[in-house]
Amino acid sequence: MILAISVALYEQVSAEKNIYITVVAIVVFMFGMMQLSAKTPSKNQDKEEEDVE
């Protein structure tokens, strides 16, 4: 994810911007954030488990 951020920022600074590289970097970053958020437990997880019972 850090590599995707750095590539996207580098593309914004460069004189000749390539939109496709920026889009791919953003997609990789969003995919990484999705994977990271899937591992993070919900704040309301205990309440949801009580509602099921």
Side-chain angles (χ1 to χ4, degrees):
M1 287 187 343
I2 294 171
L3 181 65
I5 292 170
S6 61
V7 167
L9 288 175
Y10 177 75
E11 281 297 314
Q12 291 299 313
V13 173
S14 65
E16 188 175 317
K17 294 174 180 62
N18 189 343
I19 190 72
Y20 297 112
I21 293 175
T22 305
V23 168
V24 168
I26 291 172
V27 168
V28 169
F29 175 74
M30 294 302 287
F31 182 74
M33 287 300 294
M34 185 176 67
Q35 295 295 322
L36 184 64
S37 67
K39 294 179 183 178
T40 307
S42 174
K43 206 166 42 166
N44 299 324
Q45 187 174 9
D46 294 334
K47 293 178 185 175
E48 292 172 1
E49 289 177 1
E50 290 175 4
D51 292 341
V52 172
E53 295 176 358

